[in-house]
Amino acid sequence: MRHTPMNRDPNCEVLIVGGAAMGSAAAYFLASAPGFHGRVRVLEQDMSYQHCATTLSVASIRHQFSTPENIRMSMFGSAFVAEIGTRLAVDDQPPDVGWHEAGYLFLATAAGLPVLQANHATQRAEGAQVKLLDPAALRARFPWLRVDDLAGGSWGERGEGWLDAYSLMSALRRKAQSLAVVWQPARVVALQREGRRITGVRLDDGSLIECGTVINTAGCGAAALAQTAGIALPVQARKRCVFHVRSPARTPGCGLVIDPSGVYFRPEGDGWLCGVAPPEDQDPPAEDFEVTHALFDELIWPVLAARVDGFEAMRVQRAWAGHYDVNLLDDNMILGAHPDIDNLLFANGFSGHGLQHAPAVGRALSELVLHGGYRSLDLSRLGWQRVLQQQPLRELNVV
Ligand SMILES: Cc1cc2nc3c(=O)[nH]c(=O)nc-3n(C[C@H](O)[C@H](O)[C@H](O)COP(=O)(O)OP(=O)(O)OC[C@H]3O[C@@H](n4cnc5c(N)ncnc54)[C@H](O)[C@@H]3O)c2cc1C
């Protein structure tokens, strides 16, 4: 862990490139940190946020990960959301992010049961309130679920659910702006590097902004940005499609359910959201936002029709595609400074589970800027070292 604060000059400016969930969280935590007296500016290329992962997210929080750090970060995420009214109120107006504490249910066949049990042990050790259910208990609790092929499930009893991602991002931004953080519509085309330091960022209009510290929270744009400073960030965009469906089925008590096939669904309004990752050999770097409708017909519908009473009559109401920023090494985030550059922090490669980690990542980034090391939760294992040594810290529960 490094112990040198990033901002030795209290007047220097922290530039955050990318102002969606991570950039907004970093701005809020930094601006509200006792002892931070610097200036913070967020550079965002698209203030409509229409294509960023945050806006297109399924926006769900689970404690059910395999990596202890991910479990802890999600626990902080749900605790943060539970007290968001006091944390992010502006002019005594508390934000509403539509938090539904409805749980997650991971299902396993006999083949998947040992992994489910091992993850369960890790989650319990970290303090998550999760419970293993056998098929009879599953059927008793969720009478609409078909369990004949299942060996068990893991149910999150507390702190798991979903919210409105855009509202969370906006609440973080509004609060940060109330603390004097400036949002500037601007596209960064290059980081200007001199030896071990980034001295400024170049915008697409040719202008240069000097800086003290730069934080790269550019999502799927992060690798291109890193490249301009000579850093190879192993993060690529992958398309993930989400389908909003309706059906005459009723699923009381339904949380976000993950079928052993990888297909997931959860209630949303008067229907359900569902999706699945495409097979690996049909998952190229994403370039567009066209929905792959075949995924629903060929992979999702057959699974859901067999899993839930009444889902045979399911119809798609609308669908969208978003991009995961996938860390190709191990599906886990890359957080903190690269050993070759002192004043550039990365928060990238969230691989489809970043929204729930935004509060913890924002807090972690503020600690790195202020103290040069982690104070509340040690996230050192998620740093660059493992990437450079090609030693994956693999997250097994990627949805
Ligand atoms: C379909 C889908 C479902 C998901 N479901 C979940 C879920 O249920 N739970 C969960 O926790 N996570 C989920 N995720 C992942 C989560 O949404 C992301 O991990 C998280 O939102 C990443 O936030 P970010 O701020 O890092 O990136 P983004 O939201 O992608 O934002 C990056 C920002 O940087 C800006 N930018 C990029 N390049 C530049 C540049 N050069 N100059 C200026 N600005 C730039 C972009 O315009 C954008 O606003 C999902 C993602 C998708 C796509």
Side-chain angles (χ1 to χ4, degrees), residues 307-326:
R307 182 59 66 207
V308 175
D309 295 337
F311 266 6
E312 297 88 342
M314 177 175 267
R315 277 177 186 280
V316 176
Q317 298 298 299
R318 67 190 177 98
W320 71 86
H323 292 172
Y324 278 13
D325 59 333
V326 173

Side-chain angles (χ1 to χ4, degrees), residues 4-294:
T4 315
M6 293 265 153
N7 264 329
R8 291 180 207 93
D9 172 2
N11 295 316
C12 70
E13 190 163 31
V14 177
L15 295 183
I16 298 176
V17 185
M22 296 304 160
S24 301
Y28 158 68
F29 275 96
L30 204 45
S32 59
F36 180 75
H37 306 295
R39 289 172 294 138
V40 182
R41 194 178 339 183
V42 179
L43 304 168
E44 169 54 50
Q45 67 182 2
D46 176 16
M47 290 303 294
S48 78
Y49 291 103
Q50 57 183 320
H51 291 309
C52 72
T54 298
T55 306
L56 299 169
S57 171
V58 174
S60 306
I61 302 182
R62 58 180 156 109
H63 299 169
Q64 298 186 59
F65 284 91
S66 67
T67 314
E69 288 87 341
N70 285 338
I71 299 166
R72 290 275 176 181
M73 282 192 284
S74 286
M75 290 172 69
F76 180 66
S78 49
F80 182 88
V81 167
E83 54 192 39
I84 204 160
T86 45
R87 276 189 182 260
L88 299 187
V90 176
D91 296 334
D92 292 329
Q93 297 287 314
D96 178 5
V97 295
W99 173 229
H100 286 73
E101 190 174 1
Y104 260 70
L105 178 63
F106 278 79
L107 301 174
T109 60
L113 196 61
V115 174
L116 191 84
Q117 289 167 332
N119 288 346
H120 177 78
T122 308
Q123 292 150 11
R124 296 284 296 191
E126 298 302 324
Q129 292 187 40
V130 285
K131 188 173 184 176
L132 286 181
L133 303 174
D134 64 18
L138 281 171
R139 184 77 192 177
R141 184 160 193 155
F142 309 106
W144 37 267
L145 193 70
R146 298 196 188 129
V147 300
D148 305 349
D149 59 329
L150 299 178
S154 173
W155 172 243
E157 296 184 299
R158 292 295 304 276
E160 296 187 327
W162 50 86
L163 44 72
D164 183 71
Y166 191 87
S167 300
L168 174 63
M169 174 181 72
S170 305
L172 287 161
R173 184 176 69 231
R174 245 166 71 79
K175 185 69 183 183
Q177 286 171 322
S178 77
L179 297 167
V181 175
V182 172
W183 247 255
Q184 178 175 340
R187 179 169 147 68
V188 177
V189 292
L191 303 173
Q192 182 166 289
R193 177 177 172 185
E194 287 176 22
R196 296 189 56 83
R197 292 193 73 77
I198 303 297
T199 52
V201 307
R202 180 79 59 194
L203 305 187
D204 60 353
D205 64 4
S207 61
L208 181 81
I209 306 178
E210 292 183 351
C211 62
T213 299
V214 180
I215 302 180
N216 181 350
T217 47
C220 290
L225 206 59
Q227 195 60 53
T228 65
I231 302 291
L233 181 71
V235 171
Q236 272 183 8
R238 293 285 188 272
K239 187 189 289 187
R240 293 293 179 267
C241 300
V242 183
F243 301 87
H244 185 236
V245 297
R246 290 183 67 182
S247 140
R250 290 289 165 262
T251 58
C254 184
L256 196 153
V257 182
I258 295 114
D259 185 82
S261 61
V263 173
Y264 71 84
F265 64 97
R266 71 156 170 86
E268 172 79 0
D270 56 0
W272 294 262
L273 295 182
C274 57
V276 71
E280 261 179 52
D281 60 353
Q282 295 163 40
D283 195 19
E287 286 165 7
D288 61 60
F289 290 86
E290 292 291 309
V291 172
T292 314
H293 287 281

